[in-house]
Amino acid sequence: MMQPIQKFFPKLTTPAKVVIVTHQKPDGDAMGSSLGLYHFLIQFSHQVTVISPTNWAGFLNWMPACDKVINFEQKEAICKQIIAEADIIFCLDFNVLYRTKHVAPEIEKASAIKILIDHHQEPQTEAFDFGISDTTKSSTCEMVYDFIVNSGYQHTINIDIATCLYTGTMTDTGSFRFPSTTASVHTMVAYFKSIGLQHTPIHEHIYDNFLESRLRFIGFVLSNRMEVLYEYNTAIMYVYKQDLQKYNIKTGDTEGLVNYLLTIEGIKLAAIVIDRNEERKWSFRSKGNFDVNTFARQHFEGGGHANAAGGRSDETVDETVQRFKQILKQYEQTLQ
Ligand code: 5GP
Ligand code: MN
């Protein structure tokens, strides 16, 4: 059974072989929390390796030590060995092991102490020795900050740690606008500012660093691949493989696209499905009480948070969109 993370604190400073793993296609919070923890742990002479199950968005590459992150799909043999030999494995920003794709069986097999730090609903606690799961937290980055502060090491927070943790908190809170943005979040950011963090370049790295083709792609999708279903206060987008190819769309280029749908007055549920290689990947966002975590879990093999979740389907884009529309009928009342 997963023990409270405080019970792990006494082991924190004993040099060990540490692996940090996050979910596949890591976003700002996954990468930020992993690298923030990396910059914290290396101060105790741990041997620390950050492993990403897959590649990640190019707009994260500027992050301090991002060049040290190993892509499991590119260096499978080395990663398997590092995981097998690890003393401690930190699992950040995911609730269920399958979110680490092909890394999951390696984590399961490993003899290391396994630690979860995460803010998603319904964590697979039996898979971890120590951990903290708090769905009220804005981001895993904020939880890594709490981990550092609560273990008594706030004074070790340097600009690299602050930069990484700010990044993920910023991306997971929609630039500090979602309800998860508590006083604690702003207190943390105030601390980062007090030690000299410059936040403006971080926003520019993440949001103002794309190619022209991505903006034209968004224009194309908004004009040609969007439907507003006013009777359900729902808007959807669907992106075919040929659309991605035409605009040379890379990992991360489609992130945030779903949020445009929520800018339409009255929309409570937004959904986008993108034709990825192995599957059709859904993203769901909602405003107010509509719980997309449960929705994604029940209908699209997914999950996440109440207002932001993801899912998948083996159907074609058109089939899964049709099914989504059918499913919506049962939520007509809830979405009013
Ligand atoms: P996104 O739509 O940005 O990919 O994901 C939204 C939220 O849902 C994120 O917190 C992400 O970690 C989570 N999520 C996305 N896809 C899945 C999935 O297939 N399963 C689960 N359990 N969570 C997901
Ligand atoms: Mn997160």
Side-chain angles (χ1 to χ4, degrees):
M1 211 41 209
M2 189 167 92
Q3 299 189 60
I5 201 151
Q6 292 83 338
K7 294 239 167 99
F8 170 76
F9 290 164
K11 300 184 206 287
L12 186 59
T13 52
T14 310
K17 289 181 187 151
V18 179
V19 168
I20 301 171
V21 188
T22 188
H23 61 75
Q24 63 158 309
K25 301 281 174 186
D27 57 3
D29 189 34
M31 194 59 97
S33 56
S34 298
L35 289 174
L37 184 63
Y38 168 87
H39 288 291
F40 172 62
L41 292 176
I42 55 171
Q43 301 183 56
F44 301 107
S45 309
H46 293 301
Q47 196 180 311
V48 189
T49 310
V50 182
I51 294 177
S52 168
T54 63
N55 68 340
W56 54 85
F59 61 72
L60 300 174
N61 282 336
W62 61 275
M63 295 182 76
C66 198
D67 55 325
K68 294 206 167 65
V69 180
I70 311 181
N71 175 348
F72 183 90
E73 286 183 335
Q74 273 178 2
K75 295 192 174 162
E76 211 173 301
I78 295 171
C79 286
K80 283 181 177 175
Q81 191 184 344
I82 294 172
I83 293 170
E85 290 173 358
D87 301 311
I88 303 168
I89 301 176
F90 281 93
C91 297
L92 300 191
D93 200 39
F94 63 86
N95 50 352
V96 281
L97 283 181
Y98 77 76
R99 296 275 292 137
T100 65
K101 215 176 169 187
H102 305 303
V103 187
E106 307 306 319
I107 300 174
E108 270 176 342
K109 270 190 293 188
S111 58
I113 295 172
K114 293 160 201 170
I115 303 175
L116 174 76
I117 303 179
D118 180 55
H119 65 137
H120 294 88
Q121 312 240 356
E122 299 173 54
Q124 190 183 350
T125 49
E126 69 280 5
F128 304 96
D129 301 299
F130 300 95
I132 181 155
S133 158
D134 186 348
T135 58
T136 69
K137 284 289 168 182
S138 64
S139 53
T140 303
C141 281
E142 185 193 353
M143 300 178 77
V144 169
Y145 175 79
D146 293 344
F147 174 79
I148 296 173
V149 173
N150 294 337
S151 62
Y153 290 96
Q154 186 173 33
H155 59 280
T156 68
I157 295 178
N158 54 32
I159 292 293
D160 285 343
I161 297 175
T163 300
C164 295
L165 298 185
Y166 181 91
T167 302
T169 311
M170 175 191 86
T171 55
D172 258 31
T173 58
S175 298
F176 308 99
R177 64 168 282 191
F178 298 151
S180 58
T181 313
T182 57
S184 311
V185 170
H186 286 295
T187 305
M188 172 182 77
V189 173
Y191 182 75
F192 293 158
K193 289 299 293 176
S194 76
I195 62 164
L197 177 76
Q198 290 192 37
H199 63 280
T200 304
I202 298 179
H203 290 255
E204 288 170 357
H205 279 306
I206 297 287
Y207 297 117
D208 303 341
N209 207 6
F210 295 104
L211 298 177
E212 174 189 339
S213 57
R214 180 210 177 236
L215 202 55
R216 296 202 182 277
F217 166 76
I218 292 173
F220 170 83
V221 172
L222 293 175
S223 303
N224 302 289
R225 303 282 188 253
M226 179 177 96
E227 281 181 46
V228 185
L229 311 164
Y230 286 103
E231 64 274 38
Y232 303 109
N233 293 311
T234 295
I236 62 171
M237 287 177 184
Y238 38 90
V239 178
Y240 297 100
K241 199 164 289 167
Q242 75 253 25
D243 303 336
L244 299 172
Q245 284 162 352
K246 184 174 166 198
Y247 290 91
N248 198 19
I249 291 304
K250 303 260 188 305
T251 300
D253 283 347
T254 54
E255 211 168 297
L257 204 50
V258 65
N259 295 316
Y260 283 102
L261 298 171
L262 286 181
T263 66
I264 304 169
E265 185 184 18
I267 293 301
K268 293 182 178 163
L269 172 62
I272 185 170
V273 59
I274 297 172
D275 197 352
R276 300 258 176 248
N277 288 331
E278 331 78 71
E279 60 188 14
R280 264 43 64 208
K281 184 75 188 145
W282 280 97
S283 282
F284 305 104
R285 299 291 185 270
S286 65
K287 270 189 189 158
N289 296 332
F290 192 82
D291 176 6
V292 287
N293 167 51
T294 307
F295 182 86
R297 232 166 245 280
Q298 286 183 345
H299 304 293
F300 293 98
E301 299 171 48
H305 312 281
N307 293 121
R312 59 173 302 284
S313 168
D314 289 323
E315 301 154 303
T316 65
V317 169
D318 290 342
E319 283 165 359
T320 195
V321 166
Q322 277 314 312
R323 190 161 66 83
F324 174 85
K325 289 180 181 172
Q326 284 297 325
I327 292 167
L328 267 193
K329 290 179 183 166
Q330 65 193 77
Y331 293 97
E332 189 170 359
Q333 294 305 321
T334 327
L335 285 164
Q336 291 318 303

